Amino acid sequence: MCRHLGWLGAPVSVSSLVLDPPQGLRVQSYAPRRQKHGLMNADGWGVGFFADSVGDATPRRWRSPAPLWGDASFESVAPVLRSRCVVAAVRSATVGMPLEASATAPFTDGQWLLSHNGVVDRKVLPLSPTAESVCDSALLAAAVFSRGMDALGDTIVEVGAADPRARLNILVANGSRLVATAWGDTLSILRRVDGVVLASEPYDDDPDWEDIPDRHLVEVTADGIVLTALNRSKGS
Ligand code: GLN
């Protein structure tokens, strides 16, 4: 399982979220604390963000198929990349999936950034000419993008029903909404005075981190935080 992190709040540096915390994604790339599947996340990394400049709604991405811990160029630039909205991930590739930057989260449709922490049988997903890779996560991202974010919960429930062994922790953001699902793996939230972090696991030992219960969706906007249970089927 990969590890991912999302931020929505005041402008902060990417390094303050990803590289600097004592148990942040850089450390999680070789020593995650709560990872249930896989020992480390050395198969690449990706950072997506919305630039902190007026009128730029384009998601910007930096992805690599190499381990995050050794990337000196990113380490050099990350302190001056500032954003109100970030989606970052380190990857532990599922057996059989391609090892390439295009298979590394976050994926995008030009509006949203999406990371998937988990695994899903590709046979239950529609073939998509817009998927960035044949990786299961890229196909899942394409399916989520085509259904739309207001249907994210329904999409996860349906894919989960089609593949009961799937783990479907999703993290998406578009600059003003940050949404995550917990479906088969860990997810934590930290409410800071300057914003909200959603992450596969806490990046430090702050006692304010809270666990999101499994099979739930959490949405963060300027209006607040909403937690919703994901039911197996509508009305159940
Ligand atoms: N299945 C995805 C991949 O192969 C994600 C893997 C993960 O969460 N470890 O990249």
Side-chain angles (χ1 to χ4, degrees), residues 1-3 35 37 41 90-95 97-98 103-104 107 116-120 135-137 167:
M1 298 290 270
C2 312
R3 305 274 85 184
Q35 193 153 332
H37 304 272
N41 300 287
V90 290
R91 182 178 183 216
S92 168
T94 298
V95 173
M97 298 301 150
T104 305
F107 305 98
H116 170 223
N117 171 193
V119 62
V120 57
C135 173
D136 60 347
S137 301
R167 298 189 299 272

Side-chain angles (χ1 to χ4, degrees), residues 153-234:
D154 289 343
T155 304
I156 295 306
V157 169
E158 288 165 25
V159 172
D163 176 10
R165 295 164 62 98
R167 298 189 299 272
L168 301 167
N169 281 41
I170 296 278
L171 181 62
V172 289
N174 70 348
S176 57
R177 291 168 71 189
L178 176 66
V179 188
T181 59
W183 188 284
D185 208 312
T186 55
L187 179 68
S188 298
I189 186 168
L190 179 66
R191 297 167 168 87
R192 298 184 0 185
V193 288
D194 57 346
V196 177
V197 183
L198 288 169
S200 304
E201 58 182 58
Y203 61 49
D204 62 16
D205 290 331
D206 188 324
D208 288 341
W209 284 99
E210 293 172 57
D211 293 340
I212 301 292
D214 197 40
R215 303 212 167 187
H216 278 71
L217 179 147
V218 57
E219 170 150 13
V220 183
T221 63
D223 295 333
I225 299 167
V226 178
L227 185 67
T228 311
L230 295 173
N231 297 316
R232 275 178 198 281
S233 58
K234 278 184 184 167

